Amino acid sequence: MSANSIDEAERLTWHREPASEPLDDNDEALRLVRQMIRSGERGPLVDLLKRWDPVDVMQMLVRLRLKQARKLFQWLPANPSIKVIAELRPEFRAVLMEESTLEQFRDILAGLDPEDATEMLNDFPDDMAEALAQRLPDVEDIASRQSYADDSAGRIMARKFVALPAALTIDEAVSQIRADADRIRKVFTVYVLDDSGRLVGTVELGKLLLAREGATLGDIMNRDFIAVSADTDQEEVLRLARKRDMRTVPVIDGDGHLIGRVTPKQLTRIASEEATEDMLLMSGVSSEAKADDTVLRIVRGRLPWLLAGLIGASIAASVVGSFEDQLAKAAILAAFIPVTMSMAGNAGLQASAVAVQGLATGTLWSGEIGYRLFKEFLAALFNGAVAGCILAGLTMLASLIIPIADPVHLALATSLSLLCVTTIAAMVGATIPIVLDKLGIDPAMATGVFITSSNDVLGVLVFFLMATAFYLG
């Protein structure tokens, strides 16, 4: 390495990039890092990166080409690799890993707590995750976690918690918590157990510190608590936590014994994962899709949804074709088909998005479903009436510029069809997610391709029926 290159490396810095876009100021740092990787200058580069913040190293890694990122990651020692891995998004962790980095990942995972190691293993392909797990010191604990189904409370729960007998006084409880402070890390809730070790109540840390002198945990504990089994789906855990405003959720076995807790960090991660999954499903993309997917995986994930949309569009085209005589009599009707289909699709998507969001957050109560649907009906009726009136006015205005046969009846037919289409589409969009949820199917699947296609068909059918009755009749 030349003297100039050494000087450049010594001055190499990374400016923390915002979430929105990379910074041009870091381009020179990237150029020099790439150059040092190509020339095999491992020692100087590793020494340099040890002085960087792990977040900065992570940001730099994801801007390198994959081959270079893997090579650099192999060069990094366990520290700071563990900190860098902790900052990486899950999909980037899996991409960085290849056969040659397995040994390094074993060293990294061995330095983590079992729950953190299990969470990271979930991001690896099954065969590699199994190979890694078998070589870790906490193999039994990790194997126990992996025995639970994916996306279950048992898979994500932390096994470090504060659980104390109900007979303990406040002073005794505080002393016990202080004694275990290094092992416990963060404490939000104290779990209270009976003589048999079963969970009987919870005490928030603030309430514990403000309790009267001489009181016991049993005196101040909250008996109206929510606990979940290890097999509970993580989405249900998140829904319960939001509904009851819980920071942590206890996990119990079949006998009521406390076996773990879902932490605030895990609840935040679940919320992010579920939001991402719903967004992909609503966009007509497989929930397993990732940015680094191969062409084959992209095709497999998207083609079924596109074909479903093609079937819906074909049915809509068939409906249009069945009204060939009406189109022959009045070709002007063809101009209104895109308007009708667009309004139907948009109204359906809006209603379904609200329904899916309500179901996901638990704010859509079973007792309110009828009332919610009635409100959707009234809102859709109003929106359809306003859109219909505007379309009727535009039709009459157009008749002053271009010749249109019987513009009054055409305006009446198109406005009424828009009113009916908007109302029907909104009701379909609001109802289908609720029905799917009752059937145990992810309601997000109702949006996107399926609702848009079904509403296109209904919209075209309603439009031609109205046109036949009020314009061509």
Side-chain angles (χ1 to χ4, degrees):
M1 189 174 184
S2 66
N4 289 338
S5 296
I6 294 175
D7 291 338
E8 281 186 287
E10 290 297 325
R11 294 195 303 271
L12 187 62
T13 58
W14 187 267
H15 300 283
R16 183 68 54 82
E17 294 183 339
S20 56
E21 59 183 15
L23 298 176
D24 293 338
D25 293 346
N26 291 327
D27 290 345
E28 180 60 24
L30 277 171
R31 183 194 65 78
L32 187 55
V33 168
R34 291 190 183 108
Q35 177 183 325
M36 296 175 75
I37 293 173
R38 283 194 297 268
S39 57
E41 298 166 14
R42 175 177 181 172
L45 183 55
V46 169
D47 290 340
L48 169 70
L49 297 184
K50 282 182 179 178
R51 299 195 295 269
W52 284 20
D53 188 279
V55 175
D56 296 335
V57 178
M58 177 271 295
Q59 289 187 347
M60 184 270 295
L61 268 176
V62 299
R63 288 189 62 185
L64 292 173
R65 294 184 60 186
L66 181 56
K67 183 177 179 181
Q68 293 176 327
R70 282 174 171 165
K71 187 171 185 179
L72 176 56
F73 189 75
Q74 291 172 16
W75 286 357
L76 291 175
N79 188 13
S81 289
I82 292 177
K83 295 178 181 178
V84 174
I85 278 292
E87 295 294 339
L88 278 174
R89 287 164 50 189
E91 54 267 34
F92 288 145
R93 294 180 197 160
V95 168
L96 272 179
M97 192 192 69
E98 58 179 4
E99 289 294 337
S100 59
T101 58
L102 274 177
E103 199 61 47
Q104 184 177 7
F105 269 92
R106 290 191 191 101
D107 295 337
I108 293 172
L109 291 169
L112 300 176
D113 289 331
E115 58 262 29
D116 295 331
T118 303
E119 179 184 344
M120 197 172 291
L121 282 172
N122 291 339
D123 301 321
F124 297 127
D126 293 340
D127 55 342
M128 293 185 176
E130 184 177 352
L132 285 168
Q134 294 302 318
R135 292 167 173 79
L136 296 176
D138 298 299
V139 60
E140 292 184 3
D141 192 357
I142 292 173
S144 174
R145 294 172 185 277
Q146 291 188 305
S147 67
Y148 295 110
D150 288 340
D151 299 334
S152 66
R155 193 67 172 262
I156 62 174
M157 68 182 179
R159 302 201 182 196
K160 291 182 179 179
F161 48 81
V162 180
L164 301 173
L168 228 59
T169 66
I170 302 304
D171 289 341
E172 291 171 335
V174 172
S175 298
Q176 185 67 49
I177 294 172
R178 286 172 177 166
D180 294 337
D182 292 339
R183 182 182 63 85
I184 298 169
R185 293 187 185 175
K186 296 181 181 178
V187 180
F188 301 102
T189 304
V190 176
Y191 298 107
V192 186
L193 310 179
D194 63 11
D195 295 337
S196 301
R198 288 189 291 267
L199 181 64
V200 293
T202 62
V203 178
E204 295 301 315
L205 189 60
K207 187 176 182 180
L208 177 68
L209 297 176
L210 297 175
R212 58 183 172 80
E213 187 177 354
T216 65
L217 291 178
D219 295 332
I220 65 171
M221 70 180 182
N222 171 34
R223 301 176 187 273
D224 181 27
F225 63 91
I226 292 289
V228 299
S229 69
D231 296 325
T232 304
D233 185 87
Q234 64 176 22
E235 190 172 359
E236 176 65 12
V237 175
L238 178 64
R239 189 187 68 80
L240 289 171
R242 284 173 167 170
K243 185 176 180 180
R244 298 293 293 266
D245 195 23
M246 301 166 66
R247 298 194 68 180
T248 64
V249 181
V251 183
I252 57 176
D253 62 15
D255 297 322
H257 296 108
L258 185 65
I259 58 175
R261 65 188 174 107
V262 181
T263 65
K265 176 183 176 182
Q266 290 291 358
L267 290 173
T268 301
R269 184 182 64 80
I270 295 169
S272 176
E273 287 181 357
E274 297 299 333
T276 300
E277 181 179 334
D278 287 348
M279 180 186 69
L280 290 172
L281 288 173
M282 293 171 71
S283 302
V285 180
S286 169
S287 60
E288 303 297 324
K290 296 180 180 179
D292 62 296
D293 282 346
T294 63
V295 173
L296 184 58
R297 288 196 65 181
I298 293 174
V299 171
R300 280 205 310 259
R302 300 182 188 180
L303 186 58
W305 300 85
L306 292 175
L307 293 179
L310 177 61
I311 293 172
S314 299
I315 296 173
S318 300
V319 173
V320 174
S322 66
F323 289 94
E324 182 180 358
D325 293 340
Q326 286 82 347
L327 284 172
K329 293 179 182 178
I332 188 66
L333 293 176
F336 292 92
I337 295 176
V339 177
T340 303
M341 295 176 70
S342 175
M343 286 295 294
N346 289 337
L349 284 175
Q350 288 175 342
S352 64
V354 173
V356 169
Q357 188 267 346
L359 291 167
T361 59
T363 56
L364 183 56
W365 293 8
S366 298
E368 273 199 333
I369 289 177
Y371 178 61
R372 284 284 190 100
L373 292 178
F374 180 66
K375 288 200 301 182
E376 285 288 349
F377 173 76
L378 291 181
L381 206 61
F382 181 80
N383 290 337
V386 172
C389 290
I390 293 175
L391 183 60
L394 292 175
T395 303
M396 295 302 297
L397 185 63
S399 68
L400 300 177
I401 303 173
I402 58 175
I404 297 177
D406 198 359
V408 174
H409 282 89
L410 178 61
L412 176 63
T414 55
S415 60
L416 285 177
S417 67
L418 215 54
L419 171 64
C420 294
V421 163
T422 304
T423 305
I424 292 171
M427 295 309 295
V428 169
T431 304
I432 288 183
I434 296 173
V435 173
L436 289 180
D437 184 63
K438 296 295 183 183
L439 296 175
I441 302 172
D442 191 337
M445 292 182 65
T447 58
V449 174
F450 296 117
I451 282 184
T452 301
S453 298
S454 62
N455 283 336
D456 283 349
V457 174
L458 290 172
V460 170
L461 180 61
V462 169
F463 170 70
F464 277 105
L465 290 175
M466 289 292 180
T468 302
F470 294 99
Y471 185 56
L472 300 175

